[in-house]
């Protein structure tokens, strides 16, 4: 494999999450330990129609090397056109095909996990990306089935289509985000294919990430919702720091860095957008969290909000 990613040691990857893993969030996890960041899922159709919003979503932080752009699509011609557009954008190292999104709007268009109903078509689309792309690597993110579990068959299709590696969410589409994650299925995939396998699904803390790596034998873990509200999880994995050992001063540093990146990317409105993150950051471990959330809900001035954040997340206020 081209030396974009080092699979000789565990790889720590930020999963794409709509509305959450934007450029500011990705730049923070990258700075504090993530090996690979992935854009939010982008519609191939929107790309070929030159959607300004979609092109904005492709933008990356200077820190994001390597960087993967994830696209969704069900029409080979449209996907080809989207890849050709991405070919003209510098700084993208990987083009990833979403074959796992369970959202009805995506599935009804034949994209996301709907591709798992037609593996031949899924393979053709991956091959189209591989043959059209001028980027170093091609990958796919899958679930282990649509209704029934077909993990090895799905993974073999991805491998045979020429993907360089695969990320596996250990649920079927029917399981959405609530059923138990089948880590045995991920382990079966790891044993069945020769390309690297990244494990994904319910990896919520340091101990769980270490266990998943050991149990599945995967080459890395992809963390999404587990990193929302605690992006320092990547720092923990990189440096071997347990939840009990994490320094409150580091948490404060990460939160302020995230806020600064939001203002840099979105302008003053970034302060309003950051409220949802502050709700999550303040959930546990700090005094006066409810009053703090009420206060920031009414604040939109970036300077004043930053002062409130610095005061609330001060180490003296942690429990």
């Amino acid at each position: 494999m081209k030396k974009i990613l080092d699979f000789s040691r565990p790889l720590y990857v930020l999963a794409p999450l709509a509305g959450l893993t934007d450029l500011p969030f990705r730049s923070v996890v990258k700075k504090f330990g993530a090996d690979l960041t992935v854009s939010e899922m982008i519609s191939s159709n929107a790309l070929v129609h030159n959607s300004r919003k979609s092109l904005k979503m492709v933008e990356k932080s200077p820190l994001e090397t390597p960087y993967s752009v994830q696209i969704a699509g069900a029409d080979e011609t449209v996907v080809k056109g989207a890849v050709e557009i991405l070919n003209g954008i510098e700084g993208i190292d990987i083009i990833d095909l979403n074959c796992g999104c369970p959202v009805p709007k995506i599935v009804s268009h034949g994209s996301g996990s709907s591709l798992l109903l037609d593996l031949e078509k899924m393979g053709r689309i991956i091959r189209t990306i591989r043959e059209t792309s001028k980027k170093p690597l091609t990958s796919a993110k899958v679930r282990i089935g649509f209704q029934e579990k077909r993990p090895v068959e799905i993974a073999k299709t991805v491998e045979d289509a020429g993907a360089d590696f695969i990320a596996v969410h250990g649920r079927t589409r029917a399981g959405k985000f609530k059923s138990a994650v089948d880590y045995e299925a991920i382990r079966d995939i790891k044993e069945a294919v020769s390309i690297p396998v990244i494990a994904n699904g319910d990896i919520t803390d340091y101990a769980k990430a270490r266990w998943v790596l050991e149990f599945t034998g995967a080459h890395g873990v992809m963390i999404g919702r587990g990193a929302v509200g605690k992006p320092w999880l990547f720092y923990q994995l990189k440096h071997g720091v347990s939840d009990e050992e994490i320094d409150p001063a580091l948490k404060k540093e990460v939160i302020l860095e995230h806020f600064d990146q939001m203002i840099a990317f979105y302008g003053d409105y970034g302060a309003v957008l950051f409220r949802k993150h502050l709700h999550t950051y303040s959930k546990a471990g700090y005094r006066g969290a409810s009053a703090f959330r009420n206060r920031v809900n009414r604040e939109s001035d970036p300077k004043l909000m930053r002062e409130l954040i610095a005061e609330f997340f001060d180490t003296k206020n942690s429990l």
Side-chain angles (χ1 to χ4, degrees):
M1 180 184 291
K2 307 165 187 75
K3 200 64 173 176
I4 298 295
L5 296 171
D6 181 7
F7 286 104
S8 66
R9 56 173 179 75
L11 208 69
Y12 306 122
V13 185
L14 177 68
L17 292 173
L20 291 168
T21 56
D22 55 6
L23 184 151
F25 190 80
R26 297 195 313 267
S27 67
V28 169
V29 299
K30 183 66 181 178
K31 180 176 180 178
F32 288 93
D35 294 304
L36 174 63
T37 49
V38 187
S39 74
E40 296 175 75
M41 182 181 68
I42 299 170
S43 160
S44 295
N45 197 54
L47 276 177
V48 298
H49 285 94
N50 288 310
S51 159
R52 200 174 301 173
K53 180 182 177 185
S54 295
L55 290 170
K56 181 80 171 170
M57 288 165 65
V58 173
E59 289 181 23
K60 57 170 268 188
S61 159
L63 297 175
E64 290 184 277
T65 301
Y67 175 54
S68 173
V69 170
Q70 185 186 77
I71 60 175
D75 183 303
E76 292 160 62
T77 304
V78 174
V79 169
K80 181 180 173 69
V83 173
E84 287 169 345
I85 289 169
L86 295 176
N87 281 341
I89 300 174
E90 293 293 319
I92 299 169
D93 302 288
I94 304 158
I95 298 179
D96 179 76
L97 180 65
N98 183 302
C99 308
C101 180
V103 176
K105 184 173 76 171
I106 303 298
V107 172
S108 65
H109 292 157
S111 302
S113 58
S114 189
L115 292 173
L116 303 175
L117 292 168
D118 188 344
L119 296 188
E120 189 179 331
K121 180 180 182 181
M122 183 183 81
R124 287 199 310 270
I125 295 175
I126 294 169
R127 197 169 292 109
T128 296
I129 295 172
R130 173 78 186 213
E131 292 172 355
T132 309
S133 176
K134 294 180 180 176
K135 306 304 181 183
L137 301 176
T138 300
S139 63
K141 185 170 189 284
V142 304
R143 286 185 172 234
I144 57 173
F146 191 86
Q147 200 77 34
E148 306 297 324
K149 295 179 182 181
R150 308 163 67 187
V152 171
E153 190 182 356
I154 290 166
K156 288 276 195 186
T157 301
V158 173
E159 180 180 41
D160 292 345
D164 294 287
F165 66 95
I166 182 173
V168 183
H169 184 109
R171 291 185 174 98
T172 61
R173 190 266 171 170
K176 298 198 176 169
F177 294 104
K178 293 185 177 177
S179 66
V181 175
D182 188 343
Y183 297 110
E184 288 186 14
I186 300 176
R187 184 172 61 185
D188 291 344
I189 286 174
K190 167 63 173 60
E191 293 171 355
V193 298
S194 58
I195 58 174
V197 176
I198 308 293
N200 173 238
D202 281 6
I203 301 172
T204 52
D205 55 40
Y206 174 81
K208 182 67 173 288
R210 299 304 310 169
W211 179 85
V212 169
L213 281 169
E214 185 177 347
F215 182 83
T216 64
H219 294 84
V221 286
M222 177 177 274
I223 303 170
R225 295 181 191 282
V228 175
K230 47 180 179 183
W232 44 82
L233 177 53
F234 290 96
Y235 177 92
Q236 293 179 256
L237 289 165
K238 205 73 162 189
H239 298 277
V241 179
S242 70
D243 288 356
E244 295 73 33
E245 298 169 315
I246 190 75
D247 186 349
L250 175 69
K251 292 183 180 182
K252 178 181 176 180
E253 182 185 353
V254 172
I255 294 165
L256 285 171
E257 172 77 14
H258 190 185
F259 178 77
D260 291 342
Q261 291 291 340
M262 289 287 284
I263 302 304
F265 189 64
Y266 294 109
D268 287 358
Y269 188 60
V272 174
L273 295 174
F274 199 62
R275 291 172 184 165
K276 64 184 177 186
H277 291 289
L278 288 173
H279 290 185
T280 313
Y281 282 136
S282 63
K283 268 185 176 174
Y286 296 93
R287 300 178 185 86
S290 180
F292 171 73
R293 287 192 287 271
N294 289 335
R295 178 71 181 86
V296 295
N297 280 346
R298 299 191 303 273
E299 188 55 70
S300 57
D301 180 86
K303 186 172 181 293
L304 291 176
M305 187 174 277
R306 197 181 196 283
E307 290 172 1
L308 288 170
I309 294 168
E311 181 183 2
F312 178 77
F313 291 102
D314 189 89
T315 52
K316 294 192 289 290
N317 193 44
S318 61
L319 297 172

